[in-house]
Amino acid sequence: MAKWTPRHEAPEPLEGPIVATISGGTILWFVMFLVQVPFYGWFDDHDLTWWVWTCLAGGGLGLIGIWYVRSRDAALKRAREAAEAAETPDTDPRA
C-alpha cells in the first residue's frame, strides 16, 4: 500500500478564530440540550433519551475544549513574544 501513497509535504495547519469556533459550537450543544429537555418524555417513550444526553455531553466537552484552546493560544503568544525578544538585540541606553 505504501507504494501507492503519494509522497509530498503536509500542508501548514490552518489558523483562524479557534476560540470563537469552539465557543460557538459549545453554545450550540447547550442550546440543543435546552431545547430538547421539555420533550424528554417523548424521547423517553421512543427510547431516544441518548439524544438529550449527547447534547449535554457535547456541551461539557466543549467547555474542556474552550479551556484547551485558550491555553494553547496563550502558549503560542508567549512563544511568539519570546522569539521576538530573542531576535531583538539588547541595547544598553547607557552605553
Side-chain angles (χ1 to χ4, degrees):
M1 183 81 180
K3 71 177 187 176
W4 298 107
T5 305
R7 300 271 179 188
H8 52 72
E9 292 185 32
E12 290 292 321
L14 297 175
E15 293 294 332
I18 298 170
V19 176
T21 302
I22 300 299
S23 298
T26 301
I27 290 169
L28 285 175
W29 279 113
F30 279 124
V31 166
M32 289 189 299
F33 171 73
L34 292 174
V35 167
Q36 291 178 355
V37 167
F39 303 103
Y40 187 82
W42 183 88
F43 285 108
D44 194 29
D45 292 343
H46 292 86
D47 215 18
L48 295 172
T49 54
W50 64 272
W51 285 18
V52 178
W53 302 119
T54 298
C55 293
L56 185 61
L61 291 171
L63 291 176
I64 295 169
I66 291 170
W67 169 79
Y68 177 80
V69 296
R70 288 182 57 133
S71 299
R72 178 183 177 271
D73 278 354
L76 289 173
K77 184 178 178 183
R78 283 192 308 270
R80 192 177 318 115
E81 289 172 354
E84 288 173 1
E87 290 176 1
T88 307
D90 290 336
T91 55
D92 190 5
R94 293 175 281 166

